[in-house]
Amino acid sequence: MVLDAKKIAVGVTGGIAAYKTCEIIRDVKKLGAEVRVSMTESAKNFVTELTFTSLSENPVICSLFDGHETRGISHIDLARWCDLFLVCPATANIIGKVAAGLADDFLSTTIMATESPVVFCPAMNSSMWTNPLVQENVLKLKRQGYRFVEPDWGTLATTAEGEGWGRLASVKRILHNIKYTLLGTSELENKRVLVTAGPTRESMDPVRFISNHSSGKMGFALAEAAKLRSAAVTLIAGPNHLDVPDGVKYQRITSVEDLKDAIYEEYDQTHILIMAAAVSDYRPKTRLSHKLKKSSHEHRLDLERTTDILAELGKKKEGRIHVGFALETENGVAEATKKLHAKNLDMVVLNNPLEPGAAFDADTNIVTIISTDREPENLPKLTKDAVAGVILDRICERVKHNYQKAAAV
Ligand code: CTP
């Protein structure tokens, strides 16, 4: 999992948004991270200690003097233990305290003592957030290297407060920031990556279509992995139920022709194309404008070929990197290698949906990466996030190699 072996300390301060911290802890735990929570006294008014103990599967630390020091979890231990310190929600009080260099409880003392990155997620009433004193404190902390996931505009804690700046950033944005802080690199800075994902649908009449079982999970994971390497990412996807990764430009399509138009719109500015969409090879020759009624006869559906987008783009790819996917149930490596050459690709990611753990809707995948510059690489069963990470690593190696080659000329 992408956050395997990562240690995250979470400091919870007193704000109604503390309930959203529960979701964040659950999500990072699902991604493999280990979590330890520290709460201020006022945080206990919003969510109980027991909730965080259960979610983090570790005792919650509240005070410098509640016995944890003698049980080996001192503020110094926690400060050294964590790879990242998340303060969520962060009140104006904790921001002000740290900015002033004060350390008068377990949380502020640990923040002061840690050398790991500290990420504040402020949440407060909009007049507090826009107060120049708070803004000055935020600036001061940013200048010292503290990170912030800025609050959103939206409905504040009570309906009486209405809308304003100060609402805790979305869980999705906070998770992206956690991942970026722990795993992010600048390897693809200034690179534009275009990822396609999910199935296409080809209509035969207003109510029926031909499609496939692709869930889009692999493509969405690739878009996020590219974003974590600082690329500008566009994701074009067929029908799916997934959450678009934070900071990714998203376009939804239905048919192969829609997909083709959307790709061509972006292609000139694209440096890296990752074609993970399960594109239909055929579509009904005619699309009826009315619903096809049943009859007592057999019905024959005539199909025609769709455009092979990747093969077509392979003819004009110039210096771009093209990555394709191959779904094979027999002679995988040989068939995928044929596609590598036929479609002028740099890399083909081969998978077999009949293997256990590599099914369409699964969260895991078992792939072989076949490239023009190395032996086929068999990866073990990994989560789709982890597979995406390895694919992006190989892409980054190629980007570096191409750059060195160009510099040597
Ligand atoms: N692809 C495409 N346009 C199509 C069909 C496929 O761009 N009309 C892309 C897919 O997104 C994938 C790669 O080509 O990255 C290989 O797709 P796949 O369907 O496995 O292979 P095909 O070349 O269509 O061959 P076959 O179905 O015979 O295996």
Side-chain angles (χ1 to χ4, degrees):
M1 285 176 285
V2 279
L3 295 184
D4 267 345
K6 297 291 180 200
K7 300 185 181 89
I8 303 176
V10 179
V12 187
T13 65
I16 181 71
Y19 76 92
K20 291 194 194 160
T21 311
C22 300
E23 204 178 326
I24 294 164
I25 294 173
R26 197 201 52 197
D27 288 351
V28 294
K29 290 271 297 175
K30 260 204 249 166
L31 294 173
E34 201 182 328
V35 176
R36 280 182 181 275
V37 178
S38 158
M39 294 174 85
T40 60
E41 276 309 306
S42 58
K44 290 190 205 166
N45 294 310
F46 297 93
V47 179
T48 67
E49 228 179 296
L50 184 62
T51 308
F52 286 122
T53 306
S54 313
L55 287 170
S56 66
E57 297 177 284
N58 272 314
V60 171
I61 314 163
C62 298
S63 148
L64 281 167
F65 309 107
D66 63 6
H68 288 290
E69 295 279 344
T70 52
R71 281 190 263 149
I73 317 167
S74 74
H75 61 287
I76 298 294
D77 290 325
L78 187 64
R80 286 192 185 142
W81 172 83
C82 66
D83 299 310
L84 177 150
F85 203 112
L86 182 79
V87 188
C88 181
T91 55
N93 185 49
I94 190 73
I95 292 169
K97 243 178 9 185
V98 181
L102 296 177
D104 66 348
D105 58 9
F106 190 91
L107 180 57
S108 50
T109 325
T110 315
I111 295 173
M112 202 61 69
T114 193
E115 287 175 18
S116 298
V118 178
V119 179
F120 286 97
C121 307
M124 63 195 80
N125 168 284
S126 65
S127 28
M128 286 174 81
W129 174 245
T130 52
N131 185 312
L133 289 172
V134 174
Q135 287 302 313
E136 219 169 275
N137 287 335
V138 170
L139 250 179
K140 188 173 169 189
L141 288 173
K142 280 185 182 170
R143 277 199 290 265
Q144 295 298 322
Y146 290 91
R147 296 159 192 239
F148 280 80
V149 187
E150 304 278 333
D152 279 340
W153 173 274
T155 312
L156 299 166
T158 61
T159 32
E161 283 180 87
E163 292 204 339
W165 288 109
R167 185 189 159 99
L168 185 75
S170 66
V171 170
K172 182 165 90 173
R173 196 143 67 80
I174 294 173
L175 281 175
H176 177 74
N177 270 273
I178 293 172
K179 287 188 205 166
Y180 190 79
T181 307
L182 290 168
L183 312 167
T185 70
S186 56
E187 286 164 292
L188 295 180
E189 208 166 28
N190 306 321
K191 294 276 182 270
R192 291 184 173 273
V193 177
L194 177 56
V195 183
T196 67
T200 53
R201 281 183 186 172
E202 299 300 326
S203 297
M204 53 181 281
D205 71 12
V207 292
R208 303 184 183 94
F209 54 79
I210 298 175
S211 189
N212 57 66
H213 292 295
S214 170
S215 65
K217 285 181 184 170
M218 194 61 241
F220 275 59
L222 285 158
E224 180 167 47
K227 192 73 211 157
L228 288 176
R229 284 156 179 83
S230 304
V233 183
T234 300
L235 173 63
I236 304 172
N240 67 81
H241 303 285
L242 304 171
D243 227 9
V244 180
D246 192 59
V248 165
K249 181 176 157 196
Y250 182 63
Q251 190 172 342
R252 206 186 140 125
I253 55 89
T254 306
S255 67
V256 179
E257 278 307 296
D258 294 345
L259 177 64
K260 185 179 159 195
D261 290 348
I263 293 176
Y264 272 73
E265 190 75 18
E266 293 282 330
Y267 190 69
D268 279 350
Q269 309 91 274
T270 296
H271 300 106
I272 299 162
L273 170 67
I274 309 177
M275 200 74 186
V279 188
S280 178
D281 290 320
Y282 293 94
R283 67 171 165 228
K285 214 164 179 175
T286 48
R287 183 181 184 279
L288 299 174
S289 56
H290 56 274
K291 186 186 161 202
L292 178 73
K293 296 294 284 179
K294 66 175 167 293
S295 72
S296 52
H297 308 296
E298 277 183 2
H299 180 76
R300 197 174 297 275
L301 183 64
D302 282 330
L303 301 174
E304 64 181 5
R305 284 293 311 269
T306 57
T307 313
D308 188 325
I309 304 169
L310 200 50
E312 201 175 274
L313 290 173
K315 294 181 193 137
K316 49 183 242 164
K317 81 179 228 208
E318 294 172 353
R320 295 178 185 84
I321 292 176
H322 280 190
V323 179
F325 273 70
L327 201 97
E328 310 287 350
T329 53
E330 284 170 313
N331 306 322
V333 174
E335 291 300 320
T337 308
K338 271 192 216 159
K339 271 176 204 167
L340 179 80
H341 299 300
K343 299 195 187 194
N344 191 18
L345 304 174
D346 297 83
M347 219 178 280
V348 177
V349 182
L350 161 69
N351 68 337
N352 176 353
L354 303 183
E355 274 189 73
F360 274 112
D361 203 28
D363 289 323
T364 53
N365 208 352
I366 306 167
V367 307
T368 302
I369 302 177
I370 299 166
S371 324
T372 48
D373 62 350
R374 59 199 287 166
E375 288 296 304
E377 184 181 4
N378 294 309
L379 301 187
K381 182 162 106 180
L382 295 170
T383 61
K384 286 185 174 165
D385 286 347
V387 173
V390 179
I391 295 170
L392 261 297
D393 286 347
R394 297 296 165 266
I395 291 173
C396 289
E397 283 162 19
R398 193 170 272 262
V399 168
K400 207 164 140 193
H401 173 79
N402 289 357
Y403 176 77
Q404 284 164 347
K405 218 165 79 181
V409 173

